Amino acid sequence: MAGDGAAAEEEEEEDEEGEMPPQPNGFLPGKEAERGSHAPRADAGALPEAQAMLPGVARAAPRLSRRRLAVLAVFSLYSLVNAFQWIQYSILSSVFVHFYRASYTRVDWLSMVYMVAYVPLILPATWLLDTRGLRLTALLGSGLNCLGAWLKCASVRQDLYPLTLLAQTVCAVAQVFILGLPSRVAAVWFGPKEVSTACAVAVLGNQLGTAIGFLLPPILVPNTVDDIDQMGHNISIMFYGTAAVSTLLFLLTGVVFDEKPKFPPSQAQAVLQDVPPEDYSYKQSIINLFRNIPFVLLLISYGMMTGAFYSVSTLLNQMIVTHYPGEEVNAGRIGLTLVVAGMVGSIICGLWLDYTKTYKQTTLIVYILSFVGMIIFTFTLDIGQLAIVFVTGGVLGFFMTGYLPLGFEFAVEITYPESEGTSSGLLNASAQIFGILFTLVQGKLITDYDPRAGNLFLCAWMFVGIILTALIKSDLRRHTINSGILNTDVKAVPVDSPTEHEKNNTVLKKQSESAL
């Protein structure tokens, strides 16, 4: 077949032009076995420094894999389905209240479980990603998403609310293995000129799932209060359709996802491949991140911005109906406008980062514009013109959601060579915590006073976030490595012994030689 011939030709081309002899340092376990070498690994790691720097043992040149686009597409799609499964209950809350004969609070928990599950599970999930790898984490995320979807199919009966809650909890656990992956997938599979755009596309999948969740469920499941059997039939159609798509994506994940491409896509990834797996410590990685002051500042400011966005999204219906009674449908459309505008913002911000590499400046400007957008939204909400609220909501979503990939990519830059999954996971955990707190407080302020009081509360915290972002030192470590400039202060683990110090020096010398 033509496709097979092209693949074979590409494989042959790679073998002729770019494949290097096996590394003599044992950093890539299994390479020797693949090539028929029977030398023990202990000897491979004990070769003297002079031999490690012989011409024939240089690091493989970075090269892009054609599979990277398939990996990104499959990840974005199963992330989309996970977000769709999150929003499908809340957008149909009145339907599920009637069907399960449950209170609105119990139905709200079908969405809130996503937020609650994330915080305690994020550290185990990032540990798994760092120690067991990208492929297993992707299979868990996609597989649990599939399992939760099929459990929902079995819960379409009025007395089975506990089963549908269990099914949604499984989907919530799947989310823990999904939300932290965009920057990891981008870094492992994409080159330095496209890594930020790839991260933005991966984030976009989740946002698109939310947007489809606003649109599709009300069409599939109209509120037929007088005909419960028809309501159950419609819910079944939605659940079985979701399960079928989830199953297909789980199978595609197993076929498409590899741990990493055959050749590193960037110099930064090539350097990381030189670090022996046994030298990596997850505990030390967490300690390093919390000792990194710029990252801690970003962790707090990211949590404030994203938590404010979660709060606005959650309470938007309540804010709109307060000033525009009977406009529930338009409240949903304004939410959709906010999400879609944010998707455009994410892609534009990702492209801009790949083009300019101005991480701090772009992050700070988008933060300021989000603050300005929030101020405008706050003071135009009650003027009686719903069309203006559509516009201001779209502007707010464009900048607040556009900030998401900026935060992920900026974190990877200032924490390199720490794991992208760990830094992204901590950012998401911060966002969930601030989101819970902001939603509770803003909801109370809206109930006791008015929406303006709640929005001004968020504006105050966003202003604090601007100050914290301005204080972040822009140390672009990954970009420095990709540019061929050495920074000897960058290390994955601290130097605890002379032996480890020797290893790090060897890596740096080999890096200097390849840069020359």
Side-chain angles (χ1 to χ4, degrees), residues 61-118:
R63 183 176 305 168
L64 296 179
S65 166
R66 291 181 184 177
R67 180 176 285 204
R68 72 193 189 283
L69 299 177
V71 170
L72 181 62
V74 171
F75 170 77
S76 298
L77 287 172
Y78 78 71
S79 178
L80 179 155
V81 174
N82 184 258
F84 176 84
Q85 295 206 77
W86 163 61
I87 204 70
Q88 67 184 171
Y89 286 103
S90 61
I91 200 65
L92 295 173
S93 55
S94 57
V95 171
F96 285 105
V97 162
H98 283 104
F99 184 76
Y100 286 116
R101 293 173 294 198
S103 66
Y104 275 97
T105 301
R106 294 179 76 194
V107 172
D108 287 344
W109 269 104
L110 294 172
S111 298
M112 289 166 56
V113 69
Y114 263 62
M115 200 177 293
V116 173
Y118 192 88

Side-chain angles (χ1 to χ4, degrees), residues 369-429:
L369 291 174
S370 299
F371 172 73
V372 172
M374 189 68 195
I375 292 286
I376 295 172
F377 177 78
T378 299
F379 287 98
T380 58
L381 186 60
D382 59 352
I383 64 175
Q385 296 293 326
L386 204 57
I388 293 178
V389 181
F390 269 93
V391 174
T392 56
V395 171
L396 186 64
F398 180 89
F399 291 112
M400 291 186 86
T401 312
Y403 175 81
L404 299 180
L406 292 179
F408 283 159
E409 284 298 289
F410 195 18
V412 173
E413 287 291 336
I414 62 179
T415 61
Y416 178 86
E418 307 300 343
S419 167
E420 302 88 353
T422 306
S423 61
S424 298
L426 290 174
L427 289 180
N428 280 319

Side-chain angles (χ1 to χ4, degrees), residues 467-487:
I467 296 172
L468 294 178
T469 303
L471 294 174
I472 296 173
K473 180 184 176 185
S474 184
D475 180 13
L476 306 182
R477 301 178 178 185
R478 182 178 66 178
H479 178 58
T480 298
I481 294 294
N482 284 331
S483 301
I485 308 165
L486 290 184
N487 181 354

